[in-house]
Amino acid sequence: MKMTTGLATPFVITKLQGEQRLEEADLVAVEEPLQIRLEFEKGDNFITKDLLVTMRSPGHDFDLAMGFLFAEQVIHREKDVLWIRYCQQVKEEEKGNVIIVRLAQDLDFDMNLLERNFYTHSSCGVCGKTAISAVSGHLDLVNNNLQQEIKAKTLMALPKFLSCNQYGFKYTGGLHAAVLFDAQGTLLALREDVGRHNALDKLVGASLKKGIDLENKVVLLSGRVSFEMVQKAVRAKIPVLAAFGAPTHLSVSLAREKGITMVGFLKKDRFNIYSHPSRIK
């Protein structure tokens, strides 16, 4: 796990451009989970409630907390919040990732709103390291079941397949895609959705229905690669995850830990390898 500062952190990656294969440092966007701890009074009771909201880029966290609570109908105006501060009773590496929100004493809201769509965390501290450890226990390493190495030129040819076959995006410009290929670059399945996560879920679901073994396949994503996308790939035992966009630092860390080869910034003549480059020839 890398120490992070600001919005970017360095990784040593393998860059392929034409026939050149270079090892160099690269800056990757920081991704960290933000936990909100609510404090409020209900009758004579003082209640605390821990919520893990989202994986985010650090910065403007108080705005994020206010907007989230407003969207979930917990608050309705600014004065419904007495104050917001960062929790200090955490480990050094976890500081800045936990927010305490004290709600106004007379605020009336439905407690059931706090029970849906949230992942509760048992401690006040949370960081990228704990996010990875939270999924490591129930996710196995991805085995290298590819029958042969994937050629770099095969990966570079994948974008043209997507441009020719992503019909939803072609007509709307508003859909993400997840595409399944074999090691020779043959297109096996494609799914589109307005959400990146949904597109990958659809692709995995379709593969399960068709009895397609994902352990020796390549998945191409139309957008960036976040922590949750790698988590889904590990769960499906997909060994190679390629994307047009950039990965986040947590996605790189999880891919390296779990044995996934991650490719980013995939173009017709170059790409970056962020983890396990040995699968690519």
Side-chain angles (χ1 to χ4, degrees):
M1 187 65 200
K2 302 289 184 182
M3 293 297 293
T4 61
T5 57
L7 297 177
T9 190
F11 280 92
V12 176
I13 67 168
T14 303
K15 180 183 286 289
L16 273 74
Q17 185 166 0
E19 298 297 324
Q20 291 185 311
R21 188 182 184 103
L22 305 171
E23 301 291 322
E24 63 178 51
D26 187 59
L27 286 177
V28 179
V30 171
E31 179 185 32
E32 290 281 345
L34 179 70
Q35 178 182 325
I36 295 178
R37 168 172 285 185
L38 292 183
E39 295 184 351
F40 55 94
E41 297 180 25
K42 280 289 185 179
D44 296 329
N45 298 319
F46 183 79
I47 301 172
T48 62
K49 183 71 175 180
D50 288 344
L51 308 176
L52 185 62
V53 180
T54 187
M55 306 296 288
R56 100 295 189 197
S57 298
H60 303 290
D61 292 332
F62 293 179
D63 294 344
L64 176 57
M66 289 284 291
F68 172 78
L69 294 173
F70 179 82
E72 295 297 328
Q73 303 181 57
V74 176
I75 65 173
H76 303 283
R77 51 195 176 275
E78 184 180 8
K79 69 177 184 178
D80 289 339
V81 175
L82 290 180
W83 48 257
I84 306 177
R85 63 177 176 83
Y86 287 104
C87 179
Q88 299 301 315
Q89 298 176 351
V90 294
K91 298 177 182 178
E92 184 64 30
E93 66 269 20
E94 297 170 341
K95 288 184 177 179
N97 285 349
V98 182
I99 286 179
I100 299 176
V101 180
R102 180 65 181 271
L103 300 179
Q105 184 174 359
D106 58 349
L107 180 62
D108 184 28
F109 65 93
D110 184 359
M111 288 280 289
N112 292 325
L113 294 174
L114 304 181
E115 301 301 330
R116 62 181 180 85
N117 299 327
F118 306 144
Y119 171 78
T120 57
H121 200 275
S122 60
S123 67
C124 189
V126 64
C127 67
K129 185 176 181 180
T130 57
I132 290 179
S133 64
V135 302
S136 293
H138 64 274
L139 291 177
D140 297 328
L141 291 173
V142 176
N143 297 320
N144 189 2
N145 291 328
L146 289 171
Q147 301 301 313
Q148 61 186 40
E149 295 174 325
I150 299 174
K151 294 181 180 179
K153 66 178 183 180
T154 300
L155 286 175
M156 293 174 186
L158 298 187
K160 72 176 182 181
F161 284 98
L162 186 56
S163 62
C164 294
N165 292 279
Q166 194 182 355
Y167 299 113
F169 179 83
K170 179 179 179 180
Y171 291 106
T172 67
L175 296 178
H176 285 286
V179 195
L180 186 67
F181 296 90
D182 63 18
Q184 290 73 44
T186 303
L187 191 152
L188 302 176
L190 184 152
R191 292 294 182 272
E192 293 183 276
D193 196 276
V194 292
R196 294 176 298 112
H197 304 80
N198 295 341
L200 183 53
D201 285 339
K202 288 179 178 180
L203 185 70
V204 172
S207 300
L208 291 174
K209 289 172 62 178
K210 294 179 180 179
I212 298 176
D213 181 10
L214 297 177
E215 294 189 34
N216 58 357
K217 302 298 189 296
V218 179
V219 167
L220 174 64
L221 304 175
S222 62
R224 65 181 181 87
V225 188
S226 64
F227 177 81
E228 291 91 347
M229 302 296 274
V230 177
Q231 184 178 350
K232 293 176 185 295
V234 175
R235 177 71 177 88
K237 300 187 182 303
I238 299 165
V240 180
L241 197 61
F244 291 163
T248 65
H249 92 289
L250 278 192
S251 68
V252 174
S253 297
L254 186 60
R256 291 184 174 188
E257 178 176 322
K258 291 300 183 180
I260 283 185
T261 297
M262 183 193 292
V263 169
F265 295 105
L266 178 62
K267 301 182 184 302
K268 65 179 180 180
D269 60 347
R270 63 188 183 273
F271 56 84
N272 295 343
I273 310 174
Y274 292 88
S275 57
H276 301 281
S278 60
R279 289 192 179 99
I280 299 175
K281 183 177 179 180

